[in-house]
Amino acid sequence: MTAVLAGCGGSSGSGDVTLRLVAADYGDSSANSSKKYWDDLVRGFEAEHSGIKVEVSVYSWNDVDRKVKEMVAAGHAPDMAQIGAYADYAAAGKLYQADEVLSIPVQADFASELSDAGKVNRTQYGMPFAASTRLLFYNKTLFAQAGIQPPTNWHELAADAAALKAKGVKFPYALPLGPEEAQAETMQWLLSGGAGYLDGFGSYDIDSAQNVGTFTWLKDDLIGKGLTGPVPPGRLNRADAFAAFTRGEVGMLNGHPSLMKTARAKGVDFGMVPMPGVDGRAKSTMGVTDWMTAFKQNGHQDQVREFLDYAYDEKNVLDFSREYDLLPVTSSAQEAMSASSRDADLEPFLQQLPSAELYPVGKTSWAGVSAQIKKEIGGAVSPDGSPSAVLDRIQRAAVTADSAPR
């Protein structure tokens, strides 16, 4: 980091420009760290672009957003940052617009639903870099032992969970509403209930009647009947729920593509189906996108454009997606993935992407709202909790934050 801070805006001599990129680590060990991916990509880029050097610093997802925030606050913004949010930087005028650092063909290749999610006030600043969707994972062995089929609606989901409980399954349905990623499980269930975080006009609607009904059902029909396991949902984190699934202790849970590899490595025979809705398949599922951003501070617009055009080449997008079990963000790479038998495992997730709903990341208030959901939502389904009171409290805080001057 010292080298990064000291060198921001500098050059490598002989007229060369050095670009600084901060990126998140998608690997789960040093063997598949994202650093290896970026090292290979930079090596190929530099071989074709004399005069441009690229230095990449890779941090865990626990640290990367904070690191970039500290760098920007200290006046040493990187040229590019591949992170989880962009709206605050865009609102502060610190970012290039996407059309300023991407050629027209590259920008046009983004999946439209992802490009739209990268906009603030109808202008795109966030460039989608990686995406995923969610499916309901179920343990085929446990389901066969209980004599049940994967659910297509909430009634069947509760009935399946009851049958799994009767067979002694530890977590019939694992409901991770702990602080690690509660905003994800919450959003998946709100969408399943027919609503979401926003209304049809893009305003927060967290305490809608549908959302209150969803969490009341969870509290009364799943948790209240002992169908979510021994750990209170408000204290169950996603990583722990995934680990329990790979140990064969979970009947069902919402999962993203990376769970496939770890479950398969542990010998779990699993299946995946779309998330059930109230009366049938949910109209939409949750999607997640991580973002590439380009900061104006160092003035390397032309060089950043050359690098990003290279990074978003179809081959590079596919290589990254395949390495980390993620979905491509460009139409060309998505078409290539759909046509390739080697990507058959990812196809069910890819099919969900066009109808997926993403976090409201275009709102500068979202980071704070997300943090409050992580902190409070577990209380909505605790034995003495009130879904309506908790959702109302989060809604009031969200509206206040959304209307605060910037």
Side-chain angles (χ1 to χ4, degrees):
M1 175 59 80
T2 301
V4 172
L5 292 180
C8 280
S11 67
S12 59
S14 304
D16 288 353
V17 167
T18 299
L19 299 177
R20 321 289 174 172
L21 167 65
V22 176
D25 195 350
Y26 290 81
D28 53 16
S29 68
S30 58
N32 70 341
S33 169
S34 294
K35 185 178 187 306
K36 295 181 66 176
Y37 171 82
W38 287 113
D39 285 349
D40 288 343
L41 185 138
V42 166
R43 192 177 301 114
F45 172 80
E46 291 180 349
E48 297 180 15
H49 298 78
S50 60
I52 307 176
K53 304 296 182 183
V54 184
E55 294 183 3
V56 184
S57 299
V58 176
Y59 296 100
S60 75
W61 272 111
N62 293 329
D63 299 322
V64 67
D65 289 284
R66 175 177 55 81
K67 290 286 188 181
V68 172
K69 186 175 181 179
E70 291 171 353
M71 293 171 70
V72 173
H76 299 295
D79 294 285
M80 296 164 286
Q82 185 264 303
I83 47 180
Y86 62 85
D88 281 346
Y89 299 126
K94 296 182 181 298
L95 299 180
Y96 285 114
Q97 296 174 191
D99 60 6
E100 295 175 319
V101 288
L102 293 173
S103 66
I104 292 174
V106 171
Q107 189 178 8
D109 197 25
F110 286 135
S112 59
E113 65 273 13
L114 304 183
S115 288
D116 289 343
K119 295 178 179 179
V120 174
N121 296 326
R122 295 180 294 279
T123 299
Q124 185 181 357
Y125 294 92
M127 293 165 276
F129 188 77
S132 69
T133 55
R134 300 292 193 268
L135 291 171
L136 184 74
F137 282 67
Y138 66 97
N139 185 309
K140 287 185 174 181
T141 302
L142 298 179
F143 267 58
Q145 291 171 353
I148 54 177
Q149 298 296 318
T152 61
N153 57 48
W154 286 6
H155 175 76
E156 292 177 2
L157 188 149
D160 283 352
L164 291 164
K165 180 184 178 182
K167 287 293 185 179
V169 175
K170 188 173 182 179
F171 294 91
Y173 179 88
L175 183 66
L177 294 176
E180 179 194 359
E181 206 188 28
Q183 85 285 359
E185 186 75 10
T186 297
M187 183 171 174
Q188 182 63 73
W189 275 101
L190 297 186
L191 293 172
S192 175
Y197 286 132
L198 306 179
D199 62 19
F201 302 98
S203 299
Y204 285 114
D205 198 23
I206 297 169
D207 63 344
S208 69
Q210 282 175 291
N211 289 344
V212 171
T214 294
F215 266 77
T216 299
W217 185 86
L218 286 173
K219 181 176 185 292
D220 295 343
D221 289 67
L222 277 190
I223 302 163
K225 294 181 179 179
L227 303 180
T228 55
V231 181
R235 295 208 297 267
L236 181 65
N237 283 324
R238 181 198 63 175
D240 296 327
F242 279 18
F245 187 81
T246 66
R247 295 194 299 268
E249 298 173 353
V250 174
M252 299 173 277
L253 85 171
N254 284 315
H256 52 60
S258 68
L259 181 57
M260 295 188 298
K261 183 181 295 185
T262 53
R264 191 172 289 121
K266 296 285 188 175
V268 176
D269 186 13
F270 63 89
M272 303 176 296
V273 294
M275 179 66 182
V278 179
D279 299 314
R281 179 174 173 177
K283 292 182 175 62
S284 61
T285 187
M286 188 188 76
V288 175
T289 301
D290 303 323
W291 304 97
M292 179 67 76
T293 56
F295 286 85
K296 294 179 177 179
Q297 179 179 326
N298 303 319
H300 294 150
Q301 179 181 353
D302 292 341
Q303 293 83 4
V304 167
R305 183 189 296 111
E306 290 193 56
F307 179 75
L308 290 180
D309 277 1
Y310 183 87
Y312 281 109
D313 177 78
E314 179 185 314
K315 177 185 181 300
N316 293 327
V317 173
L318 275 173
D319 285 348
F320 185 86
S321 301
R322 286 166 170 163
E323 177 66 27
Y324 299 108
D325 290 321
L326 293 164
L327 303 180
V329 297
T330 61
S331 297
S332 60
Q334 288 178 7
E335 291 169 4
M337 179 172 279
S338 292
S340 173
S341 59
R342 68 179 288 190
D343 300 310
D345 281 352
L346 288 170
E347 182 62 22
F349 295 93
L350 193 58
Q351 291 175 356
Q352 298 283 304
L353 193 56
S355 63
E357 187 166 323
L358 307 180
Y359 295 132
V361 289
K363 289 181 172 290
T364 56
S365 57
W366 169 243
V369 173
S370 175
Q372 185 166 5
I373 293 168
K374 292 178 182 180
K375 180 180 178 182
E376 294 203 40
I377 199 64
V381 293
S382 63
D384 57 350
S386 166
S388 61
V390 171
L391 292 176
D392 176 68
R393 188 161 60 247
I394 296 172
Q395 168 71 11
R396 284 186 280 110
V399 170
T400 300
D402 203 37
S403 58
R406 294 285 168 178

